[in-house]
Amino acid sequence: EVKVYVLGYSEQPENTFSEVGVALTLSCTVQGDAGTTITWTKTVEGVESNPTPETPTFPTSLETSSELRISSAQLSDSGSYKCSANFGATTVESTVATVTVLDIGISEDPVKIGFLAGEDASLSCKVKNPTDNPATVSWILATANGDEVVEDQYIQWANESPVGTSTLVYDSATHDNAGVYKCKADYTVDGKTYSRESTPVDLFIRELQQKLDEIALVKLPADTTKVFTCTYKGDDGIENIKWNLKKKKVPTGQKLR
């Protein structure tokens, strides 16, 4: 009489999330006879298949382990997976693990740009936006006290799939809106949140050069000194200020008054 001794699983496959192109691994270990073998089953919409582990089964006298390793996950690898421990006519199945593979992240970073004060200023980024797990997008401003989330009232979101566009908009921008920004995409899978951020980018708000004073018309006695000044403000550097002297031509026989 041959008795099959299978205690059960000491390690079972777990629900797993992966991005497209990233490696993922499912593992299971069964305690029992050394002759136990393990097979894997994948189910997608009721259709079963039997993927072959890249890592073979490792039997010992007490337990047998198997790893199903996918070196570069693709959307088609999503599905339900389980392993089965087989010894002769006896089969013990593991719990079912759900594998979710998504194409997530920032597909286009915002671009450094400058605006004049009083104009509408904006930054945009493109975000991968899967239909079944859409992104939640926010904008982050770097401050002296750490990162600060920009209020939703300034954010426009074009919720399109597979890529959506988020735009940060300030109407009649001021210097207070200038700073270093990045957009952040959050994805929720099985109650867990996965975040991806863009490259930080500068938003410049510039003041247009303005002359603040006018040079008054004055009459000076001969051989006296007068200092004339003019003042400009603006963010663009003023490399040089030129002074022009316009002389009034006095007709012969007349005096300049």
Side-chain angles (χ1 to χ4, degrees), residues 5-25:
Y5 182 56
V6 178
L7 292 178
Y9 287 90
S10 58
E11 180 184 15
Q12 304 202 43
E14 298 179 349
N15 293 345
T16 303
F17 166 75
S18 177
E19 294 181 55
V20 169
V22 177
L24 68 86
T25 301

Side-chain angles (χ1 to χ4, degrees), residues 7-247:
L7 292 178
Y9 287 90
S10 58
E11 180 184 15
Q12 304 202 43
E14 298 179 349
N15 293 345
T16 303
F17 166 75
S18 177
E19 294 181 55
V20 169
V22 177
L24 68 86
T25 301
L26 296 174
S27 302
C28 70
T29 300
V30 63
Q31 296 175 324
D33 293 288
T36 301
T37 59
I38 295 177
T39 57
W40 289 87
T41 303
K42 172 187 175 184
T43 304
V44 179
E45 296 181 351
V47 179
E48 293 187 351
S49 60
N50 296 105
T52 302
E54 293 184 7
T55 302
T57 300
F58 294 103
T60 68
S61 58
L62 297 177
E63 62 182 21
T64 302
S65 299
S66 179
E67 288 186 345
L68 179 62
R69 186 175 302 164
I70 301 173
S71 57
S72 179
Q74 302 300 313
L75 297 177
S76 58
D77 292 315
S78 295
S80 299
Y81 290 77
K82 65 181 179 181
C83 58
S84 301
N86 307 292
F87 188 94
T90 301
T91 299
V92 179
E93 295 183 344
S94 70
T95 56
V96 176
T98 300
V99 172
T100 304
V101 181
L102 295 176
D103 190 13
I104 65 173
I106 308 298
S107 62
E108 185 176 315
D109 288 319
V111 178
K112 175 180 177 180
I113 194 168
F115 295 90
L116 293 177
E119 291 183 336
D120 294 345
S122 63
L123 292 171
S124 293
C125 72
K126 293 187 180 297
V127 175
K128 294 178 180 179
N129 192 39
T131 302
D132 295 335
N133 294 82
T136 300
V137 183
S138 58
W139 284 83
I140 310 297
L141 170 64
T143 71
N145 298 321
D147 288 347
E148 179 180 301
V149 179
V150 179
E151 295 181 16
D152 290 341
Q153 69 188 73
Y154 301 111
I155 299 175
Q156 299 174 357
W157 172 236
N159 188 14
E160 300 175 349
S161 187
V163 176
T165 302
S166 180
T167 305
L168 174 68
V169 179
Y170 289 117
D171 297 331
S172 300
T174 67
H175 274 109
D176 292 338
N177 304 131
V180 179
Y181 291 84
K182 58 186 176 183
C183 66
K184 176 185 176 186
D186 293 327
Y187 304 86
T188 302
V189 180
D190 291 334
K192 296 181 179 180
T193 299
Y194 302 87
S195 300
R196 300 294 180 267
E197 296 181 349
S198 71
T199 302
V201 65
D202 288 315
L203 174 64
F204 295 100
I205 307 297
R206 300 181 182 276
E207 288 282 357
L208 187 64
Q209 292 179 8
Q210 301 177 33
K211 186 165 66 172
L212 298 183
D213 55 12
E214 297 287 343
I215 300 174
L217 177 64
V218 296
K219 295 181 180 181
L220 297 176
D223 299 324
T224 59
T225 301
K226 170 66 177 177
V227 177
F228 295 95
T229 61
C230 69
T231 306
Y232 279 82
K233 75 171 184 177
D235 292 324
D236 294 327
I238 301 174
E239 296 180 357
N240 187 25
I241 296 178
K242 294 182 179 181
W243 289 82
N244 295 313
L245 174 61
K246 294 184 179 180
K247 294 183 178 181

